[in-house]
Amino acid sequence: MPNMQWIFDGIGTEILSLIIGGIIGGLTGYKLGINNKGKQTQNAGSEARQRQEMTIEDSFSTGESQTVQARIKQTQTAGQNSEQVQIGRIENGKR
């Protein structure tokens, strides 16, 4: 018959590892998500001219591959006879 204390020690260690890993992973993901977002909003009346430009430069490198971890959200509202331009770019720092 296997030693019951050995079995329960292994389960406790595994649960503790999952909890610590979840906390560290959640904090890291939150920090990446917070720092890599761009948001712009514009509101205007009739016959307005609006222009939005945004460039986010950010990337997360893992060895040879590189994955961009960023998000842009742009919103414009205007009345009649208005001109609106939106330009959004996400660059990974390579030039």
Side-chain angles (χ1 to χ4, degrees), residues 45-59:
S46 297
E47 298 188 26
R49 295 180 74 182
Q50 295 180 322
R51 180 178 176 92
Q52 289 182 329
E53 286 192 46
M54 179 184 291
T55 302
I56 295 178
E57 293 185 29
D58 200 30
S59 62

Side-chain angles (χ1 to χ4, degrees), residues 4-52:
M4 294 304 278
Q5 182 178 1
W6 176 78
I7 292 172
F8 287 113
D9 283 346
I11 292 172
T13 302
E14 188 66 28
I15 291 172
L16 185 61
S17 297
L18 285 172
I19 290 170
I20 291 173
I23 290 170
I24 292 172
L27 290 174
T28 302
Y30 177 76
K31 184 168 175 70
L32 284 172
I34 284 295
N35 291 330
N36 301 324
K37 292 181 186 176
K39 181 179 178 181
Q40 290 182 323
T41 303
Q42 287 183 338
N43 297 312
S46 297
E47 298 188 26
R49 295 180 74 182
Q50 295 180 322
R51 180 178 176 92
Q52 289 182 329

Side-chain angles (χ1 to χ4, degrees), residues 44-50 77-84:
S46 297
E47 298 188 26
R49 295 180 74 182
Q50 295 180 322
T77 56
Q80 296 178 355
N81 299 323
S82 296
E83 180 182 326
Q84 298 177 318

